[in-house]
Amino acid sequence: KWQNPGVDLKPGSEFLFLMERFGVAQPVRFRVEKMVLGNSFSYQQVDGFFSYWSHTIKLEDHGQGETLVTDLIEYEMPFGLLGRVVDDFW
C-alpha cells in the first residue's frame, strides 16, 4: 500500500510503501534514480526487505497504439547464502 501518494516521480524523489512478505508487513522506501519520460524509469530500494533491489521499467513503441513494457529487476536477499537458498526454494 502506497504510504505517501502524490509524490512527484522525478530523480531523487522517495516514495514509501507498506509491503507484506511471508505474512510480515514492513515499510519499504524507494528512491527514483532515473526517469526518461516515455522511455524508462528506474528506482532502488533505500530501506526494506532486500539487501539490494533495483527495478527498471522500459517502454518501447510497437506501433498502432501498442507499447512493449519490459521490467528488469535485480535483487539480493538478506542473510547471505541462507537467504539465497530460501529464495531458490520459495
Side-chain angles (χ1 to χ4, degrees), residues 35-64:
M35 187 167 187
V36 179
L37 203 56
N39 184 282
S40 64
F41 175 77
S42 297
Y43 63 92
Q44 290 186 355
Q45 174 188 283
V46 177
D47 294 310
F49 289 115
F50 297 93
S51 292
Y52 175 78
W53 173 275
S54 176
H55 184 193
T56 299
I57 302 164
K58 293 185 177 184
L59 307 168
E60 295 178 58
D61 181 10
H62 273 240
Q64 299 179 3

PDB file of all heavy atoms in Angstrom, residues 35-64:
ATOM      1  N   MET A  35      14.764   8.837 -14.752  1.00  0.00           N
ATOM      2  CA  MET A  35      13.466   8.876 -15.398  1.00  0.00           C
ATOM      3  C   MET A  35      13.618   9.578 -16.736  1.00  0.00           C
ATOM      4  O   MET A  35      14.053  10.729 -16.786  1.00  0.00           O
ATOM      5  CB  MET A  35      12.452   9.597 -14.531  1.00  0.00           C
ATOM      6  CG  MET A  35      11.067   9.539 -15.049  1.00  0.00           C
ATOM      7  SD  MET A  35       9.949  10.095 -13.760  1.00  0.00           S
ATOM      8  CE  MET A  35       8.419   9.743 -14.529  1.00  0.00           C
ATOM      9  N   VAL A  36      13.300   8.860 -17.810  1.00  0.00           N
ATOM     10  CA  VAL A  36      13.294   9.435 -19.144  1.00  0.00           C
ATOM     11  C   VAL A  36      11.852   9.317 -19.616  1.00  0.00           C
ATOM     12  O   VAL A  36      11.393   8.217 -19.945  1.00  0.00           O
ATOM     13  CB  VAL A  36      14.261   8.691 -20.090  1.00  0.00           C
ATOM     14  CG1 VAL A  36      14.211   9.309 -21.480  1.00  0.00           C
ATOM     15  CG2 VAL A  36      15.681   8.687 -19.532  1.00  0.00           C
ATOM     16  N   LEU A  37      11.128  10.438 -19.590  1.00  0.00           N
ATOM     17  CA  LEU A  37       9.701  10.454 -19.876  1.00  0.00           C
ATOM     18  C   LEU A  37       9.378   9.727 -21.187  1.00  0.00           C
ATOM     19  O   LEU A  37       9.974  10.000 -22.220  1.00  0.00           O
ATOM     20  CB  LEU A  37       9.210  11.896 -19.935  1.00  0.00           C
ATOM     21  CG  LEU A  37       7.729  12.114 -19.689  1.00  0.00           C
ATOM     22  CD1 LEU A  37       7.300  11.525 -18.347  1.00  0.00           C
ATOM     23  CD2 LEU A  37       7.397  13.588 -19.725  1.00  0.00           C
ATOM     24  N   GLY A  38       8.490   8.754 -21.098  1.00  0.00           N
ATOM     25  CA  GLY A  38       8.068   7.984 -22.265  1.00  0.00           C
ATOM     26  C   GLY A  38       9.052   6.923 -22.696  1.00  0.00           C
ATOM     27  O   GLY A  38       8.846   6.253 -23.715  1.00  0.00           O
ATOM     28  N   ASN A  39      10.151   6.726 -21.939  1.00  0.00           N
ATOM     29  CA  ASN A  39      11.187   5.779 -22.345  1.00  0.00           C
ATOM     30  C   ASN A  39      11.566   4.799 -21.241  1.00  0.00           C
ATOM     31  O   ASN A  39      11.564   3.594 -21.447  1.00  0.00           O
ATOM     32  CB  ASN A  39      12.429   6.546 -22.814  1.00  0.00           C
ATOM     33  CG  ASN A  39      13.510   5.656 -23.333  1.00  0.00           C
ATOM     34  OD1 ASN A  39      14.219   5.047 -22.546  1.00  0.00           O
ATOM     35  ND2 ASN A  39      13.638   5.579 -24.645  1.00  0.00           N
ATOM     36  N   SER A  40      11.905   5.308 -20.055  1.00  0.00           N
ATOM     37  CA  SER A  40      12.332   4.415 -18.975  1.00  0.00           C
ATOM     38  C   SER A  40      12.201   5.103 -17.615  1.00  0.00           C
ATOM     39  O   SER A  40      12.134   6.328 -17.520  1.00  0.00           O
ATOM     40  CB  SER A  40      13.769   3.946 -19.178  1.00  0.00           C
ATOM     41  OG  SER A  40      14.653   5.036 -19.114  1.00  0.00           O
ATOM     42  N   PHE A  41      12.209   4.264 -16.583  1.00  0.00           N
ATOM     43  CA  PHE A  41      12.036   4.711 -15.205  1.00  0.00           C
ATOM     44  C   PHE A  41      12.773   3.705 -14.332  1.00  0.00           C
ATOM     45  O   PHE A  41      12.577   2.505 -14.481  1.00  0.00           O
ATOM     46  CB  PHE A  41      10.536   4.714 -14.895  1.00  0.00           C
ATOM     47  CG  PHE A  41      10.181   5.036 -13.474  1.00  0.00           C
ATOM     48  CD1 PHE A  41      10.212   6.337 -13.017  1.00  0.00           C
ATOM     49  CD2 PHE A  41       9.797   4.039 -12.606  1.00  0.00           C
ATOM     50  CE1 PHE A  41       9.861   6.640 -11.703  1.00  0.00           C
ATOM     51  CE2 PHE A  41       9.441   4.318 -11.298  1.00  0.00           C
ATOM     52  CZ  PHE A  41       9.476   5.635 -10.855  1.00  0.00           C
ATOM     53  N   SER A  42      13.653   4.171 -13.452  1.00  0.00           N
ATOM     54  CA  SER A  42      14.409   3.279 -12.567  1.00  0.00           C
ATOM     55  C   SER A  42      14.314   3.752 -11.130  1.00  0.00           C
ATOM     56  O   SER A  42      14.374   4.957 -10.863  1.00  0.00           O
ATOM     57  CB  SER A  42      15.888   3.253 -12.953  1.00  0.00           C
ATOM     58  OG  SER A  42      16.073   2.744 -14.238  1.00  0.00           O
ATOM     59  N   TYR A  43      14.177   2.798 -10.221  1.00  0.00           N
ATOM     60  CA  TYR A  43      14.192   3.134  -8.800  1.00  0.00           C
ATOM     61  C   TYR A  43      14.888   2.026  -8.027  1.00  0.00           C
ATOM     62  O   TYR A  43      14.987   0.896  -8.489  1.00  0.00           O
ATOM     63  CB  TYR A  43      12.789   3.406  -8.257  1.00  0.00           C
ATOM     64  CG  TYR A  43      11.830   2.246  -8.306  1.00  0.00           C
ATOM     65  CD1 TYR A  43      11.702   1.382  -7.227  1.00  0.00           C
ATOM     66  CD2 TYR A  43      11.039   2.016  -9.422  1.00  0.00           C
ATOM     67  CE1 TYR A  43      10.816   0.320  -7.262  1.00  0.00           C
ATOM     68  CE2 TYR A  43      10.150   0.966  -9.467  1.00  0.00           C
ATOM     69  CZ  TYR A  43      10.040   0.121  -8.384  1.00  0.00           C
ATOM     70  OH  TYR A  43       9.157  -0.934  -8.424  1.00  0.00           O
ATOM     71  N   GLN A  44      15.407   2.390  -6.857  1.00  0.00           N
ATOM     72  CA  GLN A  44      16.098   1.435  -5.991  1.00  0.00           C
ATOM     73  C   GLN A  44      15.541   1.517  -4.580  1.00  0.00           C
ATOM     74  O   GLN A  44      15.123   2.580  -4.127  1.00  0.00           O
ATOM     75  CB  GLN A  44      17.604   1.720  -5.944  1.00  0.00           C
ATOM     76  CG  GLN A  44      18.306   1.409  -7.228  1.00  0.00           C
ATOM     77  CD  GLN A  44      19.816   1.572  -7.089  1.00  0.00           C
ATOM     78  OE1 GLN A  44      20.337   2.011  -6.065  1.00  0.00           O
ATOM     79  NE2 GLN A  44      20.522   1.220  -8.136  1.00  0.00           N
ATOM     80  N   GLN A  45      15.579   0.372  -3.907  1.00  0.00           N
ATOM     81  CA  GLN A  45      15.172   0.331  -2.503  1.00  0.00           C
ATOM     82  C   GLN A  45      16.225   1.044  -1.658  1.00  0.00           C
ATOM     83  O   GLN A  45      17.415   0.843  -1.850  1.00  0.00           O
ATOM     84  CB  GLN A  45      15.062  -1.124  -2.060  1.00  0.00           C
ATOM     85  CG  GLN A  45      14.790  -1.285  -0.583  1.00  0.00           C
ATOM     86  CD  GLN A  45      14.887  -2.728  -0.143  1.00  0.00           C
ATOM     87  OE1 GLN A  45      13.977  -3.486  -0.391  1.00  0.00           O
ATOM     88  NE2 GLN A  45      16.000  -3.074   0.477  1.00  0.00           N
ATOM     89  N   VAL A  46      15.745   1.878  -0.742  1.00  0.00           N
ATOM     90  CA  VAL A  46      16.621   2.550   0.210  1.00  0.00           C
ATOM     91  C   VAL A  46      16.584   1.783   1.533  1.00  0.00           C
ATOM     92  O   VAL A  46      17.619   1.533   2.142  1.00  0.00           O
ATOM     93  CB  VAL A  46      16.182   4.017   0.418  1.00  0.00           C
ATOM     94  CG1 VAL A  46      17.039   4.699   1.466  1.00  0.00           C
ATOM     95  CG2 VAL A  46      16.221   4.778  -0.897  1.00  0.00           C
ATOM     96  N   ASP A  47      15.383   1.433   1.989  1.00  0.00           N
ATOM     97  CA  ASP A  47      15.185   0.636   3.203  1.00  0.00           C
ATOM     98  C   ASP A  47      14.099  -0.390   2.897  1.00  0.00           C
ATOM     99  O   ASP A  47      13.096  -0.050   2.275  1.00  0.00           O
ATOM    100  CB  ASP A  47      14.689   1.501   4.369  1.00  0.00           C
ATOM    101  CG  ASP A  47      15.712   2.513   4.821  1.00  0.00           C
ATOM    102  OD1 ASP A  47      16.857   2.113   5.054  1.00  0.00           O
ATOM    103  OD2 ASP A  47      15.345   3.691   4.941  1.00  0.00           O
ATOM    104  N   GLY A  48      14.284  -1.637   3.369  1.00  0.00           N
ATOM    105  CA  GLY A  48      13.226  -2.619   3.163  1.00  0.00           C
ATOM    106  C   GLY A  48      13.680  -4.048   3.328  1.00  0.00           C
ATOM    107  O   GLY A  48      14.662  -4.332   3.999  1.00  0.00           O
ATOM    108  N   PHE A  49      12.934  -4.933   2.662  1.00  0.00           N
ATOM    109  CA  PHE A  49      13.131  -6.377   2.808  1.00  0.00           C
ATOM    110  C   PHE A  49      14.474  -6.879   2.292  1.00  0.00           C
ATOM    111  O   PHE A  49      15.079  -7.758   2.865  1.00  0.00           O
ATOM    112  CB  PHE A  49      12.062  -7.158   2.024  1.00  0.00           C
ATOM    113  CG  PHE A  49      10.686  -7.080   2.608  1.00  0.00           C
ATOM    114  CD1 PHE A  49       9.671  -6.462   1.921  1.00  0.00           C
ATOM    115  CD2 PHE A  49      10.405  -7.642   3.836  1.00  0.00           C
ATOM    116  CE1 PHE A  49       8.386  -6.401   2.442  1.00  0.00           C
ATOM    117  CE2 PHE A  49       9.134  -7.593   4.370  1.00  0.00           C
ATOM    118  CZ  PHE A  49       8.119  -6.963   3.675  1.00  0.00           C
ATOM    119  N   PHE A  50      14.888  -6.380   1.164  1.00  0.00           N
ATOM    120  CA  PHE A  50      16.027  -6.947   0.448  1.00  0.00           C
ATOM    121  C   PHE A  50      17.329  -6.263   0.823  1.00  0.00           C
ATOM    122  O   PHE A  50      17.351  -5.100   1.220  1.00  0.00           O
ATOM    123  CB  PHE A  50      15.808  -6.814  -1.063  1.00  0.00           C
ATOM    124  CG  PHE A  50      14.616  -7.570  -1.558  1.00  0.00           C
ATOM    125  CD1 PHE A  50      13.375  -6.958  -1.660  1.00  0.00           C
ATOM    126  CD2 PHE A  50      14.706  -8.914  -1.891  1.00  0.00           C
ATOM    127  CE1 PHE A  50      12.265  -7.653  -2.105  1.00  0.00           C
ATOM    128  CE2 PHE A  50      13.607  -9.614  -2.337  1.00  0.00           C
ATOM    129  CZ  PHE A  50      12.374  -8.986  -2.438  1.00  0.00           C
ATOM    130  N   SER A  51      18.441  -6.978   0.639  1.00  0.00           N
ATOM    131  CA  SER A  51      19.749  -6.351   0.803  1.00  0.00           C
ATOM    132  C   SER A  51      19.974  -5.358  -0.328  1.00  0.00           C
ATOM    133  O   SER A  51      20.607  -4.323  -0.144  1.00  0.00           O
ATOM    134  CB  SER A  51      20.851  -7.409   0.774  1.00  0.00           C
ATOM    135  OG  SER A  51      20.769  -8.229   1.914  1.00  0.00           O
ATOM    136  N   TYR A  52      19.437  -5.690  -1.511  1.00  0.00           N
ATOM    137  CA  TYR A  52      19.539  -4.811  -2.680  1.00  0.00           C
ATOM    138  C   TYR A  52      18.319  -5.050  -3.555  1.00  0.00           C
ATOM    139  O   TYR A  52      17.889  -6.196  -3.738  1.00  0.00           O
ATOM    140  CB  TYR A  52      20.815  -5.116  -3.473  1.00  0.00           C
ATOM    141  CG  TYR A  52      20.933  -4.329  -4.744  1.00  0.00           C
ATOM    142  CD1 TYR A  52      21.326  -2.998  -4.713  1.00  0.00           C
ATOM    143  CD2 TYR A  52      20.639  -4.907  -5.972  1.00  0.00           C
ATOM    144  CE1 TYR A  52      21.419  -2.255  -5.886  1.00  0.00           C
ATOM    145  CE2 TYR A  52      20.734  -4.173  -7.144  1.00  0.00           C
ATOM    146  CZ  TYR A  52      21.126  -2.847  -7.093  1.00  0.00           C
ATOM    147  OH  TYR A  52      21.212  -2.127  -8.248  1.00  0.00           O
ATOM    148  N   TRP A  53      17.732  -3.979  -4.099  1.00  0.00           N
ATOM    149  CA  TRP A  53      16.588  -4.078  -5.015  1.00  0.00           C
ATOM    150  C   TRP A  53      16.666  -2.921  -6.001  1.00  0.00           C
ATOM    151  O   TRP A  53      16.736  -1.751  -5.608  1.00  0.00           O
ATOM    152  CB  TRP A  53      15.268  -4.001  -4.260  1.00  0.00           C
ATOM    153  CG  TRP A  53      14.070  -3.918  -5.162  1.00  0.00           C
ATOM    154  CD1 TRP A  53      13.542  -2.782  -5.721  1.00  0.00           C
ATOM    155  CD2 TRP A  53      13.274  -4.992  -5.611  1.00  0.00           C
ATOM    156  NE1 TRP A  53      12.458  -3.107  -6.483  1.00  0.00           N
ATOM    157  CE2 TRP A  53      12.271  -4.462  -6.437  1.00  0.00           C
ATOM    158  CE3 TRP A  53      13.303  -6.375  -5.392  1.00  0.00           C
ATOM    159  CZ2 TRP A  53      11.315  -5.241  -7.046  1.00  0.00           C
ATOM    160  CZ3 TRP A  53      12.347  -7.146  -5.994  1.00  0.00           C
ATOM    161  CH2 TRP A  53      11.374  -6.595  -6.808  1.00  0.00           C
ATOM    162  N   SER A  54      16.676  -3.222  -7.286  1.00  0.00           N
ATOM    163  CA  SER A  54      16.657  -2.214  -8.330  1.00  0.00           C
ATOM    164  C   SER A  54      15.635  -2.642  -9.377  1.00  0.00           C
ATOM    165  O   SER A  54      15.618  -3.806  -9.787  1.00  0.00           O
ATOM    166  CB  SER A  54      18.036  -2.078  -8.977  1.00  0.00           C
ATOM    167  OG  SER A  54      17.997  -1.163 -10.046  1.00  0.00           O
ATOM    168  N   HIS A  55      14.786  -1.712  -9.804  1.00  0.00           N
ATOM    169  CA  HIS A  55      13.730  -2.010 -10.772  1.00  0.00           C
ATOM    170  C   HIS A  55      13.793  -0.964 -11.880  1.00  0.00           C
ATOM    171  O   HIS A  55      13.721   0.240 -11.599  1.00  0.00           O
ATOM    172  CB  HIS A  55      12.372  -1.988 -10.085  1.00  0.00           C
ATOM    173  CG  HIS A  55      11.234  -2.366 -10.964  1.00  0.00           C
ATOM    174  ND1 HIS A  55       9.932  -2.151 -10.592  1.00  0.00           N
ATOM    175  CD2 HIS A  55      11.171  -2.943 -12.193  1.00  0.00           C
ATOM    176  CE1 HIS A  55       9.122  -2.596 -11.549  1.00  0.00           C
ATOM    177  NE2 HIS A  55       9.857  -3.058 -12.536  1.00  0.00           N
ATOM    178  N   THR A  56      13.939  -1.418 -13.121  1.00  0.00           N
ATOM    179  CA  THR A  56      13.915  -0.545 -14.283  1.00  0.00           C
ATOM    180  C   THR A  56      12.758  -0.960 -15.170  1.00  0.00           C
ATOM    181  O   THR A  56      12.582  -2.145 -15.464  1.00  0.00           O
ATOM    182  CB  THR A  56      15.238  -0.629 -15.080  1.00  0.00           C
ATOM    183  OG1 THR A  56      16.309  -0.209 -14.231  1.00  0.00           O
ATOM    184  CG2 THR A  56      15.198   0.261 -16.316  1.00  0.00           C
ATOM    185  N   ILE A  57      11.975   0.013 -15.585  1.00  0.00           N
ATOM    186  CA  ILE A  57      10.853  -0.215 -16.493  1.00  0.00           C
ATOM    187  C   ILE A  57      11.201   0.480 -17.803  1.00  0.00           C
ATOM    188  O   ILE A  57      11.478   1.688 -17.816  1.00  0.00           O
ATOM    189  CB  ILE A  57       9.544   0.374 -15.910  1.00  0.00           C
ATOM    190  CG1 ILE A  57       9.253  -0.259 -14.556  1.00  0.00           C
ATOM    191  CG2 ILE A  57       8.390   0.192 -16.888  1.00  0.00           C
ATOM    192  CD1 ILE A  57       8.235   0.490 -13.735  1.00  0.00           C
ATOM    193  N   LYS A  58      11.210  -0.300 -18.896  1.00  0.00           N
ATOM    194  CA  LYS A  58      11.495   0.262 -20.219  1.00  0.00           C
ATOM    195  C   LYS A  58      10.234   0.205 -21.069  1.00  0.00           C
ATOM    196  O   LYS A  58       9.518  -0.797 -21.053  1.00  0.00           O
ATOM    197  CB  LYS A  58      12.616  -0.518 -20.906  1.00  0.00           C
ATOM    198  CG  LYS A  58      13.949  -0.373 -20.225  1.00  0.00           C
ATOM    199  CD  LYS A  58      15.034  -1.059 -21.003  1.00  0.00           C
ATOM    200  CE  LYS A  58      16.378  -0.830 -20.338  1.00  0.00           C
ATOM    201  NZ  LYS A  58      17.471  -1.403 -21.125  1.00  0.00           N
ATOM    202  N   LEU A  59       9.986   1.271 -21.823  1.00  0.00           N
ATOM    203  CA  LEU A  59       8.819   1.357 -22.694  1.00  0.00           C
ATOM    204  C   LEU A  59       9.297   1.512 -24.137  1.00  0.00           C
ATOM    205  O   LEU A  59      10.162   2.337 -24.425  1.00  0.00           O
ATOM    206  CB  LEU A  59       7.967   2.567 -22.314  1.00  0.00           C
ATOM    207  CG  LEU A  59       7.562   2.665 -20.847  1.00  0.00           C
ATOM    208  CD1 LEU A  59       6.979   4.028 -20.550  1.00  0.00           C
ATOM    209  CD2 LEU A  59       6.586   1.567 -20.497  1.00  0.00           C
ATOM    210  N   GLU A  60       8.722   0.690 -25.053  1.00  0.00           N
ATOM    211  CA  GLU A  60       9.071   0.783 -26.465  1.00  0.00           C
ATOM    212  C   GLU A  60       7.804   0.844 -27.297  1.00  0.00           C
ATOM    213  O   GLU A  60       6.903   0.018 -27.124  1.00  0.00           O
ATOM    214  CB  GLU A  60       9.882  -0.437 -26.899  1.00  0.00           C
ATOM    215  CG  GLU A  60      11.229  -0.570 -26.236  1.00  0.00           C
ATOM    216  CD  GLU A  60      11.944  -1.835 -26.685  1.00  0.00           C
ATOM    217  OE1 GLU A  60      12.154  -1.985 -27.903  1.00  0.00           O
ATOM    218  OE2 GLU A  60      12.258  -2.661 -25.817  1.00  0.00           O
ATOM    219  N   ASP A  61       7.756   1.796 -28.208  1.00  0.00           N
ATOM    220  CA  ASP A  61       6.622   1.931 -29.111  1.00  0.00           C
ATOM    221  C   ASP A  61       6.624   0.758 -30.093  1.00  0.00           C
ATOM    222  O   ASP A  61       7.634   0.466 -30.727  1.00  0.00           O
ATOM    223  CB  ASP A  61       6.734   3.253 -29.867  1.00  0.00           C
ATOM    224  CG  ASP A  61       5.578   3.498 -30.818  1.00  0.00           C
ATOM    225  OD1 ASP A  61       4.582   2.732 -30.772  1.00  0.00           O
ATOM    226  OD2 ASP A  61       5.665   4.459 -31.599  1.00  0.00           O
ATOM    227  N   HIS A  62       5.505   0.076 -30.197  1.00  0.00           N
ATOM    228  CA  HIS A  62       5.369  -1.039 -31.125  1.00  0.00           C
ATOM    229  C   HIS A  62       4.274  -0.779 -32.152  1.00  0.00           C
ATOM    230  O   HIS A  62       3.682  -1.711 -32.682  1.00  0.00           O
ATOM    231  CB  HIS A  62       5.123  -2.349 -30.356  1.00  0.00           C
ATOM    232  CG  HIS A  62       6.411  -2.997 -29.960  1.00  0.00           C
ATOM    233  ND1 HIS A  62       6.776  -4.250 -30.366  1.00  0.00           N
ATOM    234  CD2 HIS A  62       7.448  -2.549 -29.217  1.00  0.00           C
ATOM    235  CE1 HIS A  62       7.970  -4.551 -29.888  1.00  0.00           C
ATOM    236  NE2 HIS A  62       8.397  -3.525 -29.178  1.00  0.00           N
ATOM    237  N   GLY A  63       4.021   0.496 -32.409  1.00  0.00           N
ATOM    238  CA  GLY A  63       3.085   0.896 -33.455  1.00  0.00           C
ATOM    239  C   GLY A  63       1.638   0.602 -33.115  1.00  0.00           C
ATOM    240  O   GLY A  63       1.323  -0.164 -32.214  1.00  0.00           O
ATOM    241  N   GLN A  64       0.733   1.235 -33.857  1.00  0.00           N
ATOM    242  CA  GLN A  64      -0.705   1.030 -33.733  1.00  0.00           C
ATOM    243  C   GLN A  64      -1.192   1.134 -32.282  1.00  0.00           C
ATOM    244  O   GLN A  64      -2.023   0.355 -31.828  1.00  0.00           O
ATOM    245  CB  GLN A  64      -1.120  -0.299 -34.343  1.00  0.00           C
ATOM    246  CG  GLN A  64      -0.805  -0.407 -35.817  1.00  0.00           C
ATOM    247  CD  GLN A  64      -1.195  -1.742 -36.405  1.00  0.00           C
ATOM    248  OE1 GLN A  64      -1.758  -2.598 -35.733  1.00  0.00           O
ATOM    249  NE2 GLN A  64      -0.880  -1.914 -37.675  1.00  0.00           N
TER     250      GLN A  64
END
